[in-house]
Amino acid sequence: MTDSSSALGPQRAAVAEACRRLGAEGLLIGTAGNVSMRVEDRVAITATGAVLAELTPDQVSVVDLDGKLVAGTLAPTSELDLHLGVYRRYGTGAVVHTHAPMATALSLVLDELPCVHYQLLALGGTVRVAPYATFGTPELAESVIAALEGRSAALMANHGAVTHATTLDKAVEHALLLEWACGVYQHAAALGTPRVLDEQRQLAVIEAAIARDYGTTHPVPPAQEEKR
C-alpha cells in the first residue's frame, strides 16, 4: 500500500496548481497533457485520466525514478517514460507537456520553429520538432528527449509541446513563452516570410542580456543631494 497522505504533499499541491494555471491560460484541455516535478529521487506527476484544469493534489501521484508508485492511489500519466527520461538525461527539476493550440498547430507543418524573436533564446533558440510516434511509447520518449538536447522546449509532431526547467514555475513559464512564440510565428507567416535572427544577432542579444542582467529588476539609486 502506498502512503498517500504525506509524501511530497507540497509538491503534489504545486503540480495541481500548475495544471490549473495552464488550463486557465488555455494550454490544457480535458485530460490531455501532463505535468511533473522532481524532488531528489521522487517525482510528483499527474495521474492518467484526470481533468487537468480542475486537478487536485490527490490526483497527483508520486513515483520513483524507475516509475514505481510510492504514494497516491491513481496510476500516473501514460507519458511517464517521457518525464522520467528527461529527468535522467538532463537532471532537470520539472517537466510540462501540453497540447497547446498554437504549438500543436505548428507541430503539424514545421520541422523546427526558427528563432524569430530574441525571447526564444530563453528556450535555447530554434525549437526542434520531434518526429511523430504514438503517445505513451518508448519511441516517443526517445524522440522528444533527443529534440531537447541543448534546449528547454520541443514541439512534438502532430501532438503538442514539452518544456522543462530547474523549477516548476520556470517550466510553466517556458510553456507559456513557447505558446506565445508559436502564435507570433503563425501570425507573421500569414503575412509573409518571417525574418529569422541569425547566429550573430542571437549572440548580440545574449551579450546584451548578460551585460544588463536582463529579466531582473534594478532599483534606481537615490538622487544625490545638490551641493550647497
Side-chain angles (χ1 to χ4, degrees):
M1 181 180 293
T2 60
D3 175 11
S4 60
S5 62
S6 59
L8 300 193
Q11 289 78 18
R12 295 168 78 182
V15 168
E17 183 180 359
C19 288
R20 294 194 298 270
R21 181 186 177 192
L22 289 164
E25 295 280 2
L27 272 66
L28 296 174
I29 183 169
T31 64
N34 27 81
V35 175
S36 70
M37 178 181 183
R38 176 182 177 177
V39 180
E40 297 180 349
D41 61 348
R42 295 288 186 264
V43 175
I45 189 165
T46 50
T48 188
V51 177
L52 298 172
E54 303 171 358
L55 203 73
T56 57
D58 63 341
Q59 294 174 308
V60 178
S61 301
V62 179
V63 299
D64 63 20
L65 292 179
D66 292 323
K68 178 183 177 182
L69 186 69
V70 297
T73 60
L74 300 176
T77 173
S78 59
E79 300 295 1
L80 178 60
D81 285 348
L82 168 59
H83 287 253
L84 295 182
V86 173
Y87 290 125
R88 294 191 196 103
R89 177 78 170 267
Y90 301 114
T92 196
V95 178
V96 170
H97 165 46
T98 74
H99 294 184
M102 284 297 181
T104 303
L106 293 193
S107 81
L108 306 179
V109 297
L110 295 182
D111 293 323
E112 64 178 25
L113 172 64
C115 188
V116 292
H117 192 283
Y118 67 83
Q119 284 195 300
L120 274 168
L121 293 172
L123 305 177
T126 298
V127 178
R128 305 183 187 101
V129 180
Y132 179 80
T134 305
F135 77 93
T137 61
E139 291 77 17
L140 177 64
E142 290 170 8
S143 69
V144 174
I145 291 166
L148 286 170
E149 183 69 41
R151 302 289 188 273
S152 297
L155 297 179
M156 306 159 71
N158 299 75
H159 187 155
V162 63
T163 61
H164 71 95
T166 55
T167 68
L168 181 57
D169 285 344
K170 287 182 179 179
V172 169
E173 291 301 325
H174 285 343
L176 294 169
L177 172 57
L178 177 61
E179 181 69 355
W180 172 83
C182 287
V184 168
Y185 182 89
Q186 189 273 338
H187 291 307
L191 299 173
T193 302
R195 288 190 293 271
V196 177
L197 297 178
D198 60 24
E199 205 170 300
Q200 183 178 357
R201 289 188 172 96
Q202 292 181 37
L203 180 59
V205 169
I206 293 171
E207 291 173 345
I210 292 172
R212 300 181 185 187
D213 198 15
Y214 184 78
T216 60
T217 58
H218 302 275
V220 176
Q224 295 181 353
E225 293 184 359
E226 293 184 6
K227 294 182 180 180
R228 293 186 177 179

